[in-house]
Amino acid sequence: MRRWRPADLLFWGGLALVTLVLSLASKQIGVATGWKWLTKFPKGWELHADRAISAAMKWLVEDAALGPLRFRDLTRLLSALVEAPYFVLRDFLIDGFQIGQGQQAVPVLPHVSWLVVVLGFGLLAHRAGGFRLAALVVASFLYLLLFGLWESAMVTLASVAIAVPLGVGLGILLGIAAFRFRWVDMALRPVLDLMQTVPVFAYLVPILFLFGFGAMSALVATIIYAMPPMVRITTLGLRGVPEEIVEAGRMSGCTPRQNLWKVRLPAARGMLMVGVNQVIMLTLNMVIIASMIGAGGLGYQVLTALRKLDVGAGVEAGFGIVILAVALDRLSQAIARRSPAVPAEGGWIARHPRSLALLAVLLVSYPLGALLPALNSFPESWQLSTGSFWQEVISWINLNLYDQIEAVKVFALTWVLVPVKLFLLGIPWVWGLVLAFAIPAKIGGWRLGLMGLAMASFIAASGLWPEAMITLYLCGVSVVIAMLIGVPLGVWAGQNAQANAVLTLVIDTLQTLPTFIYLIPVVMLFRVGDFSAMIAVVLYAVVPAVRYAAHGIRSIDSQLVEAGLVSGCTPRQLLWKVKLPLAMPSILLGLNQTIMLALSMLVITALVGTRDLGQEVYIALTKANVGKGVVAGLAVAFLAIMSDRIITAAVNRKRGEDHA
Amino acid sequence: MEQPIILECRNVWKLYGAQADSFLQTHGMQPTPEALRRANIVSAVRNVDVTIRKGEIFVIMGLSGSGKSTLVRCLARLIDSTAGEIRFEGRDLLAMSGPELIALRRHKMGMVFQHFALLPHLTALENAAFPLEVQGIDRKTRLERAMQVMELVGLKGRENRYPHELSGGQQQRVGIARSLIVEPDLWFLDEPFSALDPLIRREMQDELLRLQARLHKTIVFITHDFDEAIRLADRIAVMRDGAIVQTATPEELVLNPADDYVAEFTQHIPRAKVVRLGTAAKPLGPGPFAGDLTASLRVAEAADRIEAADLPFRVLAADGAPMGQIDGRTVIDILIGREVAR
Ligand SMILES: Nc1ncnc2c1ncn2[C@@H]1O[C@H](COP(=O)(O)OP(=O)(O)OP(=O)(O)O)[C@@H](O)[C@H]1O
Ligand SMILES: [Mg+2]
């Protein structure tokens, strides 16, 4: 283990002490000196970047033009391009095809029978992953049918079906461009960083402004949200193709273009499919969130249930999302893993038995559906509801466990949450700026310090200092708790195969869940407030803590462990003196990821009534205030970027020390 | 009769590191190892001259990291050498434009890679047909042609497998089929059998000799295994730290190593497997003789017959003229590794 140098000890100890004193005595200092601006950022000094942004946005939408082509026309054109296939798909799945508009509309073809959809997915799953996967997928769809979630699920599915190909396609193209041209790579990198750190609500606002409330905005937001990993993975995948394979392509006489499309891209196929899977999961997550801006679907059901505190409906719709997510995840993973099969002999008909069968069923289903309405729409009388059951479960818990839950909550609030909150809020913003420079500068050099100072100044000058402190407090407490739970679990999983198997399953499931879902049980049990927010954040952010710790332990060179054993370490010494120090860089990376996830979840928890930056963004969203939303969103992104840079610098420094 | 030169390179250098290009100029094209080390530059290939004649198997041999792969990639112009000139069939390879180079690779050069480098998304047959695919030849023709080369390398019946469904030896056969489909004149093989286990490796070496007996390509073969080099080579170039130490026939290499480094390699090689009768023969005596043997036979191949006979054998040169004689005692000297006078 590293020993502290006296100078370091003095620095950190002193900093902590001064901060504590200033925080506790800030009121008195303000009163004694008569300088109120010390503790409260003066209104008159604010930058009003939000107003400028709002005005710019307004100009963009209303007046901006390039010659005869107005910006508004451009967005309309884009809308039309994306919306056209979306509405065709919706008509096919849900609304049915019609000619004409509104009252005069003449139905031409009803929506497709549920049976065809279930069958189609079942056959696809069977082809990709055999009987078991098919059973899983069919069961998932049956759940949606039985619980009356079919229509919402189809709306969600339609959004996913449009957003995923677009996200994947754009991602691959951008990824190729970044691979081919260095300057594209350089330009894209910070943009991708921002796209992944700015909270989703924040860019919902300008998008709403540009495209209006409805499906189009939701789709655009979804694509922006889901595309970045595809870009990165494409570039990585193309770079990762073994040089020998590329050389084989060149020696085969490929032109550079052929080498890209026929050699590199197909050879990177495994990696690309990982990206596609990610895009699907992110899309699903975002489609659910986007229900707030008119995407409809399963997310909307959860949202209304949450608002009405309708436990049963909330749980059922929530399960629907989970089930759909798991089914799509397994399906896409199976397709990714499937090695191309030996091409079957025979003509087209013999080679595509499934597609043909499905087509036949589709054609038959229309006339049959006219005769048998049950085939067309799943009859309501066949549907189940467990709503009352869940209501009772919650009531039972509230009746019988109320005192215990309340005690835990009160304890956490009085002894952890509130003190930390008061401490952070007490720090005068001037001293906060000093900290924002000193901490990163100490760890990563003065450049990083200046970056921290600039970002913190932006936050203060936007009048968001208290909100940022609340964000910091909620995020900080949640991350500490997540690490306290996650790292020991990860260490355990890293040393014990059985524990690993179980934990991997739990973690994989947790990671498939759209962020929205975490709110349901939390709100049901703990109602709204900081405590609920914290629980949701911890649940969501604990995953990387476990995963990276386990990875760190497992990837230790076994020779080093053996060296420890031979030196006579007890198991405990082995853990503390050999394994943990070696796994530390990996654990720190896990911390980094945990912070990122915590911040992104925190914004979502604005729905359960926190008072942090997320709430600011959310309010801006509901009021369609572009400037406010963007500024608050940037503030969150700055917190994320700073913590990322500081931890990366710490990891690098640690690595450097180990090697020195 | 000397065959025409197909590939020739002079003073080829390949340096890796910052400002590797200008470094060579500033040091008068002859940098010392110390200067290179001080500038933190790796010289993967230094000042290499190679002449390869039509129809021969030219083996480049050296330990791991000695620069073999880098040299062969320079020769195939997969990477650009830092300095030097390379001529292919008399044409300046380094002056060729992109399209010229592509045309050259489509018709005159083939290469087999150490780790097979098959395209994972294509079947064995499609992999073999790939060079024709990029030439734009229609699917039916190219698959038929690929079928023929697959048969040639003994893979009939496995055409529709994907690379990951094939064993290492089978994958390398696909690699060989792919490199042969354009009927190249010059065939590069970069440690093609190093990733295979010893038994399969021997089998593949025999396969290569069998193919060569039929196809008469010019082969540039890389290996770090001296036994392999001796089995296959007409001539061997031994590389060390990027430079060629000696270029010679296996026999010369064993009998007259240029320095201790080469001697180290050749030490454990049984002389009888390398030395030919023509080299081992003593001046022709008056006879009588037990019979005639050709000079190109290796000692090991004729040892039993010579030892069994009481009389010496006459050694005949390629044109049939007697050039010396060999008896059991000489053979035993060679077999037990006693110094042989030349
Ligand atoms: N792209 C590169 N950048 C820097 N150094 C390189 C590069 N490629 C090769 N080298 C160096 O050049 C030297 C020769 O490498 P090369 O791959 O030619 O060796 P080799 O003889 O083929 O070895 P092996 O038998 O292991 O394949 C090595 O020291 C290697 O580190
Ligand atoms: Mg090599």
Side-chain angles (χ1 to χ4, degrees):
Chain A
M1 292 248 110
R2 191 178 82 174
R3 253 177 297 130
W4 286 88
R5 265 172 290 157
D8 282 352
L9 210 58
L10 200 67
F11 175 84
W12 292 112
L15 211 61
L17 199 69
V18 174
T19 310
L20 190 65
V21 169
L22 283 178
S23 166
L24 290 178
S26 64
K27 274 254 167 52
Q28 287 83 329
I29 295 174
V31 172
T33 53
W35 295 338
K36 269 193 73 186
W37 55 266
L38 267 181
T39 48
K40 194 166 175 335
F41 192 85
K43 272 257 180 294
W45 297 6
E46 280 180 20
L47 262 181
H48 299 302
D50 53 340
R51 285 184 210 165
I53 292 174
S54 285
M57 203 68 190
K58 197 160 173 242
W59 171 82
L60 195 64
V61 173
E62 288 176 3
D63 302 324
L66 233 171
L69 185 75
R70 281 186 307 167
F71 187 75
R72 207 184 329 168
D73 300 329
L74 192 72
T75 57
R76 289 222 178 112
L77 182 72
L78 270 178
S79 294
L81 279 180
V82 178
E83 263 176 346
Y86 173 71
F87 279 115
V88 170
L89 198 60
R90 260 191 82 128
D91 286 348
F92 175 69
L93 285 173
I94 311 139
D95 301 332
F97 291 97
Q98 303 180 331
I99 294 178
Q101 294 273 314
Q103 296 291 326
Q104 287 90 46
V106 186
V108 184
L109 199 63
H111 65 85
V112 70
S113 160
W114 51 271
L115 190 64
V116 176
V117 177
V118 176
L119 192 69
F121 272 93
L123 287 176
L124 184 66
H126 183 258
R127 186 172 148 78
F131 195 76
R132 283 178 59 161
L133 185 67
L136 175 82
V137 169
V138 168
S140 313
F141 278 85
L142 286 183
Y143 172 92
L144 297 172
L145 274 171
L146 281 176
F147 285 87
L149 297 166
W150 186 252
E151 239 178 66
S152 311
M154 288 304 109
V155 173
T156 301
L157 206 59
S159 307
V160 171
I162 297 298
V164 167
L166 276 174
V168 168
L170 281 174
I172 287 184
L173 286 182
L174 284 176
I176 290 176
F179 169 75
R180 282 290 286 271
F181 307 107
R182 223 182 117 65
W183 64 267
V184 177
D185 192 29
M186 302 289 271
L188 221 47
R189 227 170 255 237
V191 178
L192 292 180
D193 274 346
L194 268 187
M195 275 162 101
Q196 285 187 307
T197 48
V198 171
V200 286
F201 285 175
Y203 49 76
L204 283 185
V205 191
I207 288 172
L208 259 186
F209 214 75
L210 287 177
F211 298 101
F213 191 86
M216 179 62 199
S217 282
L219 279 175
V220 172
T222 305
I223 291 166
I224 292 181
Y225 179 70
M227 195 183 57
M230 194 70 221
V231 180
R232 284 182 211 265
I233 284 178
T234 304
T235 314
L236 263 180
L238 289 176
R239 292 222 174 96
V241 173
E243 197 50 36
E244 230 187 39
I245 288 193
V246 180
E247 286 179 343
R250 287 172 65 196
M251 282 312 286
S252 299
C254 285
T255 61
R257 179 188 296 262
Q258 285 174 325
N259 222 351
L260 177 64
W261 292 99
K262 285 182 180 267
V263 177
R264 263 194 209 266
L265 216 50
R269 163 176 121 274
M271 193 83 165
L272 294 184
M273 283 313 291
V274 173
V276 172
N277 176 259
Q278 282 228 3
V279 172
I280 292 178
M281 297 323 286
L282 289 178
T283 300
L284 199 59
N285 186 12
M286 187 62 185
V287 164
I288 302 298
I289 294 172
S291 59
M292 274 183 253
I293 56 167
L298 286 171
Y300 187 69
Q301 302 254 341
V302 176
L303 194 66
T304 40
L306 271 185
R307 286 203 179 121
K308 289 190 291 191
L309 277 181
D310 178 349
V311 183
V315 171
E316 278 173 13
F319 260 130
I321 295 174
V322 173
I323 279 173
L324 195 61
V326 171
L328 288 182
D329 179 50
R330 297 296 128 84
L331 189 59
S332 63
Q333 283 196 21
I335 293 174
R337 262 199 310 273
R338 201 174 58 103
S339 56
V342 176
E345 302 294 315
W348 195 87
I349 294 179
R351 274 183 285 132
H352 300 86
R354 289 189 190 82
S355 314
L356 280 175
L358 188 64
L359 196 68
V361 173
L362 176 68
L363 290 180
V364 173
S365 74
Y366 281 116
L368 223 59
L371 293 176
L372 285 172
L375 195 64
N376 203 344
S377 304
F378 198 75
E380 230 163 272
S381 54
W382 297 2
Q383 289 172 8
L384 304 173
S385 174
T386 51
S388 50
F389 167 74
W390 291 110
Q391 194 70 54
E392 265 163 38
V393 169
I394 296 289
S395 311
W396 185 87
I397 291 178
N398 280 343
L399 268 180
N400 294 284
L401 298 175
Y402 180 82
D403 290 339
Q404 285 86 334
I405 291 176
E406 205 56 20
V408 170
K409 190 169 155 181
V410 168
F411 177 84
L413 278 172
T414 2
W415 293 104
V416 182
L417 292 173
V418 174
V420 174
K421 184 176 180 176
L422 290 180
F423 166 66
L424 283 176
L425 278 175
I427 300 174
W429 63 271
V430 183
W431 181 249
L433 292 188
V434 174
L435 289 180
F437 172 79
I439 294 174
K442 172 79 181 163
I443 293 174
W446 61 273
R447 274 168 212 272
L448 198 63
L450 282 187
M451 193 168 138
L453 184 63
M455 288 182 173
S457 308
F458 173 84
I459 292 175
S462 305
L464 291 173
W465 190 263
E467 285 82 4
M469 283 300 120
I470 294 183
T471 306
L472 214 54
Y473 123 78
L474 264 179
C475 178
V477 172
S478 309
V479 165
V480 168
I481 294 177
M483 291 299 282
L484 284 180
I485 298 173
V487 173
L489 282 180
V491 170
W492 186 43
Q495 308 187 81
N496 181 325
Q498 261 169 334
N500 188 37
V502 175
L503 276 174
T504 307
L505 187 71
V506 174
I507 283 179
D508 280 348
T509 316
L510 277 180
Q511 227 171 28
T512 346
L513 304 187
T515 38
F516 226 57
I517 294 301
Y518 290 82
L519 297 181
I520 303 172
V522 170
V523 172
M524 300 297 170
L525 290 177
F526 307 110
R527 252 142 280 140
V528 298
D530 284 6
F531 185 71
S532 301
M534 186 198 80
I535 300 276
V537 174
V538 168
L539 280 180
Y540 184 64
V542 78
V543 171
V546 179
R547 188 161 277 176
Y548 279 80
H551 173 78
I553 295 284
R554 229 176 292 124
S555 53
I556 293 173
D557 186 355
S558 60
Q559 285 192 21
L560 292 175
V561 176
E562 282 160 10
L565 279 175
V566 172
S567 314
C569 285
T570 62
R572 171 187 295 267
Q573 284 172 327
L574 201 61
L575 180 62
W576 284 97
K577 292 193 186 286
V578 180
K579 289 185 180 174
L580 277 182
L582 286 171
M584 199 42 88
S586 183
I587 292 176
L588 280 178
L589 284 180
L591 171 66
N592 196 357
Q593 281 299 308
T594 301
I595 295 177
M596 294 298 141
L597 289 194
L599 276 172
S600 66
M601 186 66 188
L602 209 52
V603 177
I604 308 237
T605 59
L607 289 175
V608 296
T610 51
R611 301 232 34 86
D612 60 350
L613 287 171
Q615 191 65 21
E616 291 291 308
V617 182
Y618 184 56
I619 293 170
L621 178 65
T622 51
K623 293 192 182 148
N625 183 338
V626 184
K628 193 175 160 131
V630 170
V631 168
L634 276 180
V636 177
F638 286 170
L639 290 181
I641 291 173
M642 261 338 275
S643 75
D644 172 65
R645 295 295 136 87
I646 291 177
I647 290 172
T648 313
V651 171
N652 288 342
R653 212 168 82 146
K654 172 124 188 56
R655 290 226 171 101
E657 275 169 12
D658 289 350
H659 288 242
Chain B
M1 183 192 67
E2 292 251 285
Q3 290 281 346
I5 294 173
I6 184 165
L7 185 73
E8 176 176 37
C9 74
R10 295 274 160 268
N11 309 100
V12 168
W13 288 82
K14 179 67 189 177
L15 306 182
Y16 286 111
Q19 276 122 40
D21 294 336
S22 55
F23 182 84
L24 214 50
Q25 260 102 58
T26 53
H27 287 75
M29 308 308 280
Q30 284 295 349
T32 56
E34 289 76 51
L36 284 165
R37 204 169 316 124
R38 243 181 292 118
N40 224 343
I41 285 178
V42 180
S43 54
V45 171
R46 53 172 93 181
N47 211 9
V48 163
D49 290 353
V50 167
T51 308
I52 295 163
R53 291 179 182 279
K54 219 170 169 56
E56 74 173 329
I57 301 186
F58 188 88
V59 173
I60 300 174
M61 141 64 233
L63 294 181
S64 188
S66 56
K68 309 178 297 286
S69 294
T70 312
L71 174 59
V72 85
R73 276 166 177 72
C74 285
L75 294 182
R77 223 188 136 194
L78 280 171
I79 52 179
D80 283 325
S81 46
T82 314
E85 58 179 293
I86 303 173
R87 300 188 156 272
F88 177 78
E89 291 181 337
R91 295 201 294 159
D92 187 352
L93 195 69
L94 300 180
M96 282 190 195
S97 65
E100 276 179 295
L101 213 53
I102 287 171
L104 192 72
R105 290 184 181 138
R106 285 185 175 179
H107 303 291
K108 304 222 155 172
M109 282 184 182
M111 186 152 173
V112 181
F113 294 87
Q114 178 168 359
H115 300 103
F116 323 136
L118 300 180
L119 298 174
H121 63 291
L122 299 181
T123 61
L125 192 68
E126 289 165 340
N127 258 295
F130 186 71
L132 299 185
E133 181 186 340
V134 297
Q135 290 182 28
I137 291 174
D138 70 283
R139 189 174 166 82
K140 191 158 168 293
T141 318
R142 67 174 191 251
L143 289 189
E144 268 167 20
R145 191 62 202 101
M147 210 61 190
Q148 291 167 8
V149 275
M150 293 292 273
E151 224 175 309
L152 188 69
V153 298
L155 269 186
K156 204 166 152 50
R158 300 225 161 68
E159 308 79 28
N160 285 331
R161 304 271 186 95
Y162 281 88
H164 68 96
E165 298 167 328
L166 295 172
S167 73
Q170 290 166 343
Q171 289 189 41
Q172 195 55 298
R173 282 168 201 263
V174 178
I176 290 175
R178 175 177 64 187
S179 67
L180 284 179
I181 198 168
V182 296
E183 300 181 344
D185 299 331
L186 183 56
W187 198 21
F188 294 106
L189 296 105
D190 183 6
E191 301 202 30
F193 309 143
S194 296
L196 307 177
D197 56 60
L199 276 182
I200 309 275
R201 195 186 304 175
R202 268 199 101 75
E203 193 185 309
M204 296 291 288
Q205 288 164 1
D206 292 336
E207 189 81 25
L208 184 78
L209 288 172
R210 186 179 64 78
L211 277 175
Q212 173 65 356
R214 278 180 65 178
L215 304 173
H216 307 295
K217 305 281 175 207
T218 309
I219 296 179
V220 179
F221 189 102
I222 314 279
T223 179
H224 59 245
D225 177 359
F226 198 59
D227 288 319
E228 188 170 68
I230 290 202
R231 264 175 75 83
L232 301 176
D234 292 320
R235 286 192 305 145
I236 300 177
V238 181
M239 279 189 91
R240 179 193 189 180
D241 296 341
I244 289 188
V245 192
Q246 186 175 10
T247 308
T249 62
E251 199 177 13
E252 275 169 26
L253 220 53
V254 170
L255 296 177
N256 293 320
D259 61 9
D260 293 347
Y261 180 74
V262 181
E264 187 91 16
F265 269 118
T266 59
Q267 223 170 36
H268 70 282
I269 298 296
R271 300 293 186 266
K273 280 192 172 176
V274 182
V275 177
R276 293 172 198 274
L277 296 185
T279 317
K282 299 268 159 56
L284 199 61
F289 299 107
D292 292 341
L293 292 170
T294 32
S296 64
L297 267 181
R298 293 198 175 86
V299 170
E301 291 163 340
D304 287 348
R305 286 178 61 194
I306 300 173
E307 268 188 306
D310 295 331
L311 297 173
F313 276 81
R314 213 152 52 128
V315 179
L316 305 182
D319 54 10
M323 58 176 293
Q325 65 174 34
I326 188 158
D327 54 19
R329 197 189 152 73
T330 320
V331 169
I332 289 171
D333 278 346
I334 293 173
L335 279 175
I336 65 174
R338 217 175 282 162
E339 268 319 304
V340 191
R342 280 204 73 182

